[in-house]
């Protein structure tokens, strides 16, 4: 099944050209099926690029997905045209009375700030609490995942002396996890951050670590109590996203006073003139496909029951959570 997108959204044409199954609203309404309602709270400055990345992964699953793009109510995007934001995005205040099968909270380039110093932290805290009543499963990505694990468990992020930047090997800590179905024992994942979450502090909070790197630390964490998973790195990145960041940093000529380094293990022979091969794409599709599958297997058919009752079709049992 395809992902359901407005035909005028740039991602519609981009994904169609790539062979990803997309469907307009009219055609989707004629299918006798309830699509999964997935929201993306997009905190990234390059909104359209981020839309394409996540829509591409969700469009590869066999389920129909209705995508809702969400923005913070007071924060104004500076890097995306105002008419794009007006046409395709809804503020949190506009959707807060709705229910969603899934929500992705993206990263944001503000990791140098303490959480409480982020201008929209109060509203984001409200959103994270709102997920417990209005969202069946939440996926926090990079800074979004760090914000969620801090909000719900008090786990801190730690500022690093040097940027973690490149393609790093990760180990599969829990092959039996439904989120890692089909995963290899080891895989590569793009990393781009100035902060880290520490393994001992996550384990002290009682949260299972699913993917981990000896070089860059925990990467994927499950939070069963809050029906959430947190990934601190970027499976969703395109092949050239790290290259774009590297060239941006070169042009700015200064990144927090540090010398600009090549992304490690990324360019062939460390030659930035050569196109980097994408070695993480299959695992990216697996992770997001597994997340969508888990939502499908456990979300109530009646969306009004989200946050009140969880029906697990794998065991054919009902768990009332109200």
């Amino acid at each position: 099944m395809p992902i359901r997108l407005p035909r005028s959204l740039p991602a519609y044409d981009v994904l169609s050209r790539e062979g990803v199954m997309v469907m307009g609203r009219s055609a989707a309404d004629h299918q006798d099926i309830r699509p999964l309602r997935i929201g993306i709270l997009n905190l990234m400055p390059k909104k359209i690029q981020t839309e394409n990345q996540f829509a591409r992964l969700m469009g590869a699953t066999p389920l129909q997905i209705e995508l809702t793009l969400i923005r913070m109510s007071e924060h104004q995007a500076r890097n995306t045209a105002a008419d794009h934001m007006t046409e395709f995005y809804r503020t949190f205040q506009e959707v807060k009375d709705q229910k969603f099968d899934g929500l992705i909270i993206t990263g944001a380039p503000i990791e140098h700030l303490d959480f409480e110093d982020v201008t929209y932290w109060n509203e984001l805290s409200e959103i994270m609490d709102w997920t417990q009543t209005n969202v069946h499963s939440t996926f926090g990505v990079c800074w979004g995942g760090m914000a969620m694990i801090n909000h719900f468990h008090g786990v801190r992020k730690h500022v690093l002396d040097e940027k973690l930047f490149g393609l790093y090997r990760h180990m599969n800590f829990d092959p039996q996890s439904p989120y890692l179905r089909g995963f290899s024992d080891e895989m590569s994942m793009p990393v781009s951050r100035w902060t880290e979450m520490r393994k001992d502090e996550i384990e002290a909070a009682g949260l299972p670590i699913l993917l981990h790197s000896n070089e860059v630390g925990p990467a994927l964490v499950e939070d069963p109590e809050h029906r959430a998973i947190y990934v601190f790195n970027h499976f969703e990145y395109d092949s050239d996203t790290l290259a774009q960041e590297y060239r941006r940093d070169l042009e700015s000529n200064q990144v927090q006073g540090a010398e600009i380094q090549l992304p490690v293990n990324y360019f062939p022979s460390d030659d930035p003139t050569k196109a980097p091969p994408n070695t993480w794409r299959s695992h990216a599709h697996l992770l997001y496909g597994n997340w969508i599958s888990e939502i499908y297997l456990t979300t109530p058919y009646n969306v009004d029951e989200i946050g009140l009752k969880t029906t697990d079709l794998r065991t054919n049992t009902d768990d009332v959570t109200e």
Side-chain angles (χ1 to χ4, degrees), residues 101 103 127-140 148-154 179 205-208 222-230 291 310:
D101 298 292
L103 176 72
I127 292 171
M128 291 185 286
D129 289 336
W130 167 84
T131 65
Q132 300 307 286
T133 57
N134 287 62
V135 179
H136 181 66
S137 179
T138 307
F139 200 153
M148 291 190 71
I149 200 172
N150 176 265
H151 179 73
F152 288 125
H153 299 279
Y179 296 109
L207 300 176
E222 184 179 3
D223 186 353
E225 177 186 357
H226 297 94
R227 303 187 310 281
I229 55 174
Y230 314 130
W291 178 60
T310 299

Side-chain angles (χ1 to χ4, degrees), residues 25-44:
R25 182 175 302 276
S26 177
D29 286 342
H30 284 83
Q31 288 196 319
D32 188 17
I33 188 174
R34 178 175 93 72
L36 294 179
R37 300 199 67 216
I38 306 292
I40 298 180
L41 179 62
N42 192 350
L43 305 176
M44 292 294 285

Side-chain angles (χ1 to χ4, degrees), residues 251-265:
E251 290 173 2
S252 69
N253 203 31
Q254 185 177 10
V255 180
Q256 298 190 9
E259 182 181 352
I260 299 168
Q261 301 288 344
L262 278 171
V264 300
N265 306 318

